[in-house]
């Protein structure tokens, strides 16, 4: 055998060995993947490890030359100026909100009057297209035919000398349980509303937003109730203080105005009507005598009206707050912002469910967009040969 043939055979054997090694690596990777899929605990631990790596400095910035680092500092200083301009922008937005607040208030006052039957809207005010108009017309025609038939029957009974009690339809005033229906339609709020809250919230007549111009700036949510058997107050308030400037200690974390504090109000409950507390009985045993006694203890109960008794926010940026309080405050701030920005301006759309349907469609579109992303390199089932065919 010639040297050329020997060299060729050796090259073929080397290529075969490399292919076998690659096949072995693929097989090992597949086995590891199968093992991970069978062990959710190991998969979760791996995911946690990967999450801990995210955001960790790679060392690239530290390895840059001194003159490049100097220019980066200049860019950061410019970024800080950009953030300050952004803060000024949001202050101007707040000034515009104050300017247009009276116009909104006039419209919301008309809404309140219709909801609470203080005025009946005219035909012109009710002239708005609806998808349900055709069904309503059919219902009206059927109702009219039934009324004519019933009236004819009553006339015949009267002619025969019988006694007839005419039915009186119940007069429905305004739009009953308008705000309660909204609360039950919105997931964020429905989780807060308990069964014992519903009779109270049925007396809610209006929610108003008052924007504060003087320091401390922010807004107040006013919940207006009609007189009821549960508490003597007619208005319950929740005030939110906001910060428009970036935090001096962490300026690059600025993402616009943020709520930094909230305060509720005291609810003057009538006797036996406080739904935010409940009585529980506990048995206590005396260590020495061995006697057992039953004591009654008052504890907090789940209720929407705990919304008016939020946890106190820590004073100062260096104040520490436990995770539970931080989570409660974060949720409270989110709910207050949502009521101000979405619920109050678009109340009727949340009542009918149209606003909720629009949000669902947006979520589905985003999900579809995410599903369209495909990485063939990370697909273990991807077959290049089948793809080419």
């Amino acid at each position: 055998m010639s040297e050329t043939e020997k060299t060729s055979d050796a090259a073929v054997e080397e290529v075969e060995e490399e292919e076998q090694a690659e096949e072995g690596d693929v097989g090992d990777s597949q086995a590891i993947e199968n093992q991970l899929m069978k062990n959710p605990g190991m998969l979760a631990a791996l995911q946690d490890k990967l999450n801990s790596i995210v955001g960790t400095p790679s060392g690239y910035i530290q390895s840059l030359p001194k003159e490049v680092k100097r220019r980066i500092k200049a860019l950061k200083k410019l970024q800080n100026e950009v953030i300050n301009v952004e803060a000024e922008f949001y202050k101007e937005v707040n000034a515009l909100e104050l300017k247009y607040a009276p116009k909104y208030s006039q419209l919301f006052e008309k809404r309140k009057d219709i909801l609470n039957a203080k005025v009946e809207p005219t035909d012109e005010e009710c002239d708005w297209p609806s998808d349900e108009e055709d069904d309503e017309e059919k219902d009206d025609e059927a109702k009219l035919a039934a009324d004519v038939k019933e009236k004819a029957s009553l006339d015949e009974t009267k002619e025969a000398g019988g006694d007839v009690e005419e039915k009186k339809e119940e007069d429905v005033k305004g739009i009953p349980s308008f705000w309660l229906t909204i609360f039950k339609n919105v997931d964020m709020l429905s989780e807060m509303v308990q069964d014992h809250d519903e009779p109270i919230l049925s007396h809610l007549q209006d929610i108003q937003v008052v924007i504060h111009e003087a320091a401390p700036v922010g807004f107040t949510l006013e919940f207006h109730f009609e007189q009821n058997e549960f508490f003597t107050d007619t208005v319950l308030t929740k005030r939110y203080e906001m910060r428009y400037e970036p935090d001096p200690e962490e300026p690059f974390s600025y993402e616009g105005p943020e709520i930094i504090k909230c305060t509720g109000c005291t609810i003057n409950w009538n006797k036996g009507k406080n739904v935010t507390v409940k009585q529980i009985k506990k048995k206590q045993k005396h260590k020495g005598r061995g006697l057992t006694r039953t004591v009654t203890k008052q504890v907090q109960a789940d209720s929407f009206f705990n919304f008016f008794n939020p946890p106190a926010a820590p004073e100062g940026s260096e104040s520490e707050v436990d995770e539970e309080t931080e989570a409660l405050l974060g949720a409270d701030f989110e709910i207050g912002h949502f009521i101000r920005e979405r619920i109050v301006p678009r109340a009727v759309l949340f009542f009918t469910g149209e606003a909720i349907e629009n949000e669902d469609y947006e979520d589905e579109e985003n999900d579809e967009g995410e599903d369209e992303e495909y990485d063939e390199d990370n697909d273990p089932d991807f077959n290049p040969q089948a793809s080419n065919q």
Side-chain angles (χ1 to χ4, degrees):
M1 183 180 293
S2 65
E3 292 295 329
T4 304
E5 291 176 348
K6 290 181 180 180
T7 304
S8 177
D9 292 342
V12 170
E13 291 178 359
E14 185 176 350
V15 170
E16 289 179 351
E17 288 177 358
E18 289 180 356
E19 290 178 350
Q20 291 176 359
E22 289 178 357
E23 290 177 358
D25 291 341
V26 172
D28 292 343
S29 300
Q30 190 67 39
I32 293 173
E33 182 179 348
N34 293 335
Q35 188 67 27
L36 285 173
M37 295 303 293
K38 293 178 182 179
N39 192 337
M42 186 182 297
L43 188 61
L46 179 60
Q47 185 64 48
D48 291 340
K49 182 64 177 176
L50 292 174
N51 291 338
S52 66
I53 297 175
V54 175
T56 304
S58 61
Y60 169 70
I61 301 299
Q62 289 79 2
S63 65
L64 292 174
K66 187 176 180 180
E67 57 271 19
V68 175
K69 292 180 181 179
R70 182 172 174 272
R71 294 166 194 145
I72 291 176
K73 288 184 177 182
L75 293 181
K76 286 188 175 181
K77 190 171 182 179
L78 285 173
Q79 183 63 42
N80 189 54
E81 292 180 16
V82 169
I83 290 173
N84 290 331
V85 171
E86 187 178 357
E88 291 297 323
F89 165 78
Y90 284 117
K91 288 180 182 179
E92 292 291 332
V93 171
N94 185 56
L96 277 175
E97 288 183 331
L98 287 166
K99 177 182 176 181
Y100 281 87
K103 295 183 178 181
Y104 283 116
S105 297
Q106 292 176 5
L107 298 173
F108 293 155
E109 194 65 27
K110 290 182 179 179
R111 179 179 70 186
K112 176 184 176 183
D113 291 342
I114 294 174
L115 291 178
N116 300 298
K118 290 184 178 180
V119 298
E120 186 64 29
T122 63
D123 292 341
E124 183 181 355
E125 291 173 330
C126 296
D127 185 16
W128 184 260
S130 171
D131 295 336
E132 301 175 356
E133 283 181 348
D134 295 337
D135 295 335
E136 290 176 356
E137 289 178 1
K138 293 179 182 178
D139 292 341
D140 291 340
E141 292 174 0
K143 185 178 180 182
L144 180 61
D147 290 343
V148 171
K149 186 176 180 180
E150 183 179 359
K151 186 176 181 182
S153 176
L154 292 174
D155 291 340
E156 292 176 0
T157 306
K158 287 181 180 179
E159 291 175 0
D163 294 331
V164 177
E165 292 184 4
E166 295 186 5
K167 296 181 180 179
K168 295 182 179 179
E169 292 187 3
E170 184 180 354
D171 185 18
V172 180
K173 296 181 179 180
I175 302 181
S177 302
F178 179 81
W179 295 102
L180 172 59
T181 303
I182 293 174
F183 283 14
K184 294 173 72 174
N185 283 347
V186 179
D187 291 340
M188 184 188 300
L189 301 176
S190 65
E191 294 174 357
M192 302 167 60
V193 177
Q194 309 299 317
D195 291 341
H196 51 248
D197 294 324
E198 295 188 14
I200 311 175
L201 289 172
S202 65
H203 294 285
L204 181 58
Q205 294 185 313
D206 197 24
I207 302 177
Q208 298 179 8
V209 178
V210 178
I211 302 175
H212 302 296
E213 183 176 7
V217 294
F219 64 95
T220 295
L221 300 177
E222 294 183 349
F223 294 74
H224 292 253
F225 288 83
E226 63 182 350
Q227 289 187 347
N228 58 80
E229 61 180 298
F230 300 96
F231 44 72
T232 59
D233 308 277
T234 56
V235 180
L236 302 181
T237 60
K238 185 73 171 288
R239 173 161 185 156
Y240 291 89
E241 294 182 18
M242 301 186 69
R243 178 172 60 200
Y244 284 83
E245 303 81 7
D247 186 349
E249 296 183 1
E250 297 181 359
F252 297 145
S253 65
Y254 184 73
E255 295 183 356
E258 61 176 337
I259 298 173
I260 58 174
K261 184 180 179 181
C262 65
T263 52
C265 66
T266 300
I267 303 177
N268 297 299
W269 295 96
N270 290 326
K271 187 176 181 181
K273 298 295 184 179
N274 189 349
V275 295
T276 64
V277 295
K278 61 182 178 181
Q279 307 289 336
I280 62 171
K281 293 183 178 181
K282 296 181 68 175
K283 290 185 177 181
Q284 293 181 343
K285 188 174 182 180
H286 194 279
K287 292 183 179 180
R289 301 178 180 178
L291 299 176
T292 303
R293 66 174 183 175
T294 302
V295 295
T296 302
K297 188 178 180 181
Q298 182 172 283
V299 297
Q300 187 180 44
D302 291 334
S303 171
F304 168 80
F305 291 91
N306 290 325
F307 178 69
F308 299 98
N309 184 28
E315 297 290 342
S317 58
E318 297 181 357
S319 301
E320 293 184 0
V321 58
D322 60 90
E323 293 182 1
E324 183 179 357
T325 301
E326 186 177 3
L328 289 172
L329 286 172
D332 192 299
F333 296 168
E334 183 180 359
I335 292 168
H337 179 77
F338 189 79
I339 292 175
R340 175 196 174 178
E341 296 291 334
R342 304 298 301 277
I343 297 294
V344 173
R346 297 171 173 80
V348 66
L349 301 180
F350 282 99
F351 176 79
T352 60
E354 294 168 82
I356 302 168
E357 292 173 3
N358 292 338
E359 289 182 351
D360 291 341
Y361 280 125
E362 289 176 4
D363 291 341
E364 289 176 5
E365 290 174 0
N366 293 336
D367 292 342
E368 289 176 1
E370 292 174 0
D371 292 340
E372 289 176 357
E373 295 181 3
Y374 175 70
D375 185 2
E376 63 183 30
D377 295 334
N378 294 326
D379 186 357
D381 299 326
F382 177 69
N383 187 342
Q385 295 179 354
S387 177
N388 292 334
Q389 291 175 2

